[in-house]
Amino acid sequence: MSKVQTGLRYSAEHEWIDDASPAKVGISQVAADALGDVVYVDLPEAGTAVTAGQTCGEVESTKSVSDLYSPVTGEVVEINQEAIDNPGVLNEDPYGKGWLFTVKVESEGELMSAEEYASKNGGEL
């Protein structure tokens, strides 16, 4: 069973966000496990406006290409260059070194608690 990190909130599309300012965004271990070995990540550039529920990048694995959705509306502040240089970090440490970008949040989309997300997606806390 895939781990779901407590203390984060999750979108239905499997992205997580923390409560920091600016907020970090990443993909859940549930998503990383379903994707398989991640080989490429396309992220929005710093300064880009993102909209909750809209695509803002891609995550490519040996199995498929999946759209990356923003869990919030706001401006991208920073991207994780390590995730671009070493996409496998999303499989190894999706809640730590595998974060994708930070965003200055203007408004949030529909987000679930870790407990709600784990219940809906078969993860464990």
Side-chain angles (χ1 to χ4, degrees):
M1 222 182 237
S2 301
K3 181 171 174 38
V4 174
Q5 181 76 40
T6 58
L8 301 174
R9 290 175 296 142
Y10 296 83
S11 70
E13 293 82 18
H14 308 287
E15 286 79 21
W16 60 260
I17 188 164
D18 67 15
D19 289 327
S21 182
K24 278 186 182 170
V25 174
I27 64 167
S28 71
Q29 187 175 357
V30 171
D33 290 350
L35 283 167
D37 295 332
V38 177
V39 296
Y40 176 76
V41 179
D42 178 37
L43 301 176
E45 294 181 22
T48 301
V50 292
T51 303
Q54 300 295 309
T55 59
C56 62
E58 290 181 340
V59 178
E60 183 176 334
S61 72
T62 54
K63 291 182 183 178
S64 66
V65 176
S66 296
D67 285 329
L68 178 65
Y69 294 86
S70 181
V72 295
T73 297
E75 181 181 334
V76 175
V77 177
E78 178 185 10
I79 61 168
N80 182 357
Q81 190 62 46
E82 182 176 354
I84 293 170
D85 295 342
N86 177 23
V89 74
L90 274 71
N91 298 108
E92 297 160 14
D93 191 11
Y95 302 117
K97 291 181 181 179
W99 63 275
L100 298 174
F101 59 92
T102 62
V103 62
K104 184 175 160 185
V105 178
E106 293 173 13
S107 64
E108 297 180 349
E110 290 188 35
L111 299 172
M112 294 176 265
S113 69
E115 294 77 14
E116 291 168 324
Y117 180 79
S119 175
K120 286 186 177 190
N121 293 285
E124 66 180 1
L125 299 175

